[in-house]
Amino acid sequence: MAVTVRSFAKINLGLAIGPLRADRFHALETIYQTVAAHDLVKVDLSRGSAIEIRCRNPKVPCDESNTCYRVADRMLRHWKQRAKVTITLEKNLPVQGGLGAGSSNAVATMFALEREMKLELAAEERLRICAEVGSDLPLFLLGGTVLGMGRGEQVYPLPELPVLACVMVTPPVAVSTPKAFADWDALVAGEAALTPPNGSATLSKFSRSAFEWLSHLEVSGVPVDGDGDRAETPLLDLVRAGIENDFERVVFPQYPELRDVKRVLEREGADYASLSGSGSTMFGLFRTAERAAQAARRMEAEGLAAMVTETLPRSQYRAQMFVK
Ligand code: C5P
């Protein structure tokens, strides 16, 4: 029997880029938030010894470079097991859009393959494999609101937010993440010529803003959906705390149409709008699902393909993961 898993997307509620490390990755701090929009990942086992990726989307590589392949391969090696693993990806999310879809697909493969093999990895083994395959994988082991540190792979669960309505727009431009990081380095080097260099200043500022925001959040039980009043406070606090995505400073000048989308989201009533990861997805958070749907309709009328979704708390992330 095949196992099918919903592979949810993430957005970044702010992202601060720190100094380039000796391993050529950048130190960073971010707050990840999973959302309900998802791909489907189906894992099938049969006799033999191979990993096959099937996907109708031509933008998805179906070879050994695929993150799902890399995770499945490491799992089989760890267990010293042989099997023919067929992984079928049904894509709804943009490929390389800043929503962590490829990383999420890989973690969904991990959960599905454990269930298919009737074997479980220890928590630290899951984390090791995920961190090895990419900086954005470990957050999907937790889901919900997650603090990301290190190169993004050190993850800590944060208190749950109330469910927030979200509109995502992915303009058809390909932003290269390594290039965006390199552009950031150039920007910072230019600024360092004017002010004394302090590569960690962005991280300290982000920590303070995140603290200010999170300390206002109620550490309460299960969030309530569709209640505009509950959504209002964390949203306004998020804006007030000045939580931003540093990538906007290098990506917007190159792709001004992304800045325009942010303005449209704000004009259409988003309380908070931002680039996700290094883009190109822009998202807006709204007080109610009705406001989000209305904004999406108006944006569609202007020719912007908008996807309406909502933030997905950790409890729901887990409960909704396996397709019954
Ligand atoms: O970890 P991941 O495979 O997603 O990283 C892709 C690329 O993005 C890295 O090779 C590196 O160039 C850049 N990166 C970085 N600092 C990070 C994460 C990624 O410079 N914290």
Side-chain angles (χ1 to χ4, degrees):
M1 263 274 284
V3 174
T4 301
V5 170
R6 290 186 185 89
S7 165
F8 298 104
K10 62 85 177 157
I11 52 176
N12 296 81
L13 303 176
L15 188 154
I17 310 171
L20 184 62
R21 314 189 315 187
D23 62 2
R24 310 302 296 164
F25 281 86
H26 291 73
L28 62 79
E29 284 179 21
T30 186
I31 297 171
Y32 299 110
Q33 172 65 55
T34 49
V35 296
H38 59 270
D39 290 334
L40 289 175
V41 176
K42 188 174 91 173
V43 172
D44 252 316
L45 281 190
S46 53
R47 266 172 209 272
S49 175
I51 298 168
E52 186 189 338
I53 312 276
R54 293 184 186 166
C55 183
R56 291 219 185 99
N57 187 326
K59 289 186 189 157
V60 175
C62 291
D63 61 10
E64 294 173 12
S65 69
N66 188 295
T67 47
C68 300
Y69 184 106
R70 295 169 65 201
V71 161
D73 184 45
R74 281 166 171 75
M75 291 172 78
L76 294 175
R77 280 173 204 269
H78 176 78
W79 285 324
K80 299 186 174 62
Q81 294 275 341
R82 283 157 50 93
K84 164 92 193 284
V85 182
T86 307
I87 304 164
T88 311
L89 306 176
E90 203 176 296
K91 300 293 289 182
N92 303 307
L93 303 170
V95 177
Q96 293 205 317
L99 296 175
S103 304
S104 176
N105 292 171
V107 179
T109 299
M110 178 173 269
F111 288 127
L113 187 56
E114 281 193 355
R115 199 169 265 206
E116 273 287 85
M117 299 284 293
K118 300 188 177 60
L119 289 169
E120 271 192 17
L121 295 170
E124 68 264 28
E125 201 55 42
R126 286 183 185 153
L127 181 63
R128 183 190 64 78
I129 292 176
C130 285
E132 229 176 74
V133 171
S135 310
D136 272 357
L137 269 70
L139 85 105
F140 292 108
L141 291 172
L142 294 172
T145 313
V146 176
L147 175 66
M149 297 181 64
R151 57 181 170 86
E153 93 292 12
Q154 290 171 19
V155 289
Y156 306 93
L158 288 173
E160 301 275 40
L161 292 176
V163 173
L164 301 171
C166 179
V167 174
M168 306 191 301
V169 181
T170 310
V173 295
V175 182
S176 151
T177 303
K179 181 172 180 306
F181 273 113
D183 292 343
W184 174 262
D185 292 338
L187 178 78
V188 171
E191 286 175 352
L194 304 170
T195 49
N198 179 358
S200 298
T202 48
L203 300 186
S204 332
K205 180 177 170 286
F206 185 82
S207 303
R208 284 196 299 275
S209 303
F211 176 79
E212 190 189 327
W213 180 49
L214 295 165
S215 59
H216 283 109
L217 281 182
E218 253 179 89
V219 185
S220 59
V222 180
V224 186
D225 190 2
D227 181 341
D229 294 342
R230 286 209 52 179
E232 183 174 347
T233 316
L235 268 176
L236 295 181
D237 285 344
L238 183 60
V239 179
R240 225 172 272 141
I243 290 178
E244 290 178 340
N245 182 342
D246 280 344
F247 277 122
E248 289 188 354
R249 290 188 56 202
V250 285
V251 173
F252 282 178
Q254 284 178 47
Y255 304 101
E257 60 267 47
L258 300 188
R259 193 198 309 269
D260 294 342
V261 172
K262 179 168 174 168
R263 290 204 183 112
V264 175
L265 281 163
E266 286 170 346
R267 190 190 71 208
E268 294 302 338
D271 292 288
Y272 181 83
S274 174
L275 185 72
S276 186
S278 59
S280 63
T281 299
M282 305 290 312
F283 69 88
L285 296 175
F286 293 78
R287 235 163 275 186
T288 63
E290 292 71 38
R291 284 187 192 210
Q294 191 185 43
R297 275 196 301 274
R298 291 213 203 128
M299 294 177 79
E300 295 269 4
E302 286 181 36
L304 288 169
M307 195 188 278
V308 184
T309 185
E310 61 185 18
T311 60
L312 190 68
R314 191 166 308 115
S315 53
Q316 293 304 308
Y317 180 81
R318 300 222 171 128
Q320 294 179 20
M321 179 177 290
F322 289 97
V323 178
K324 293 284 176 281

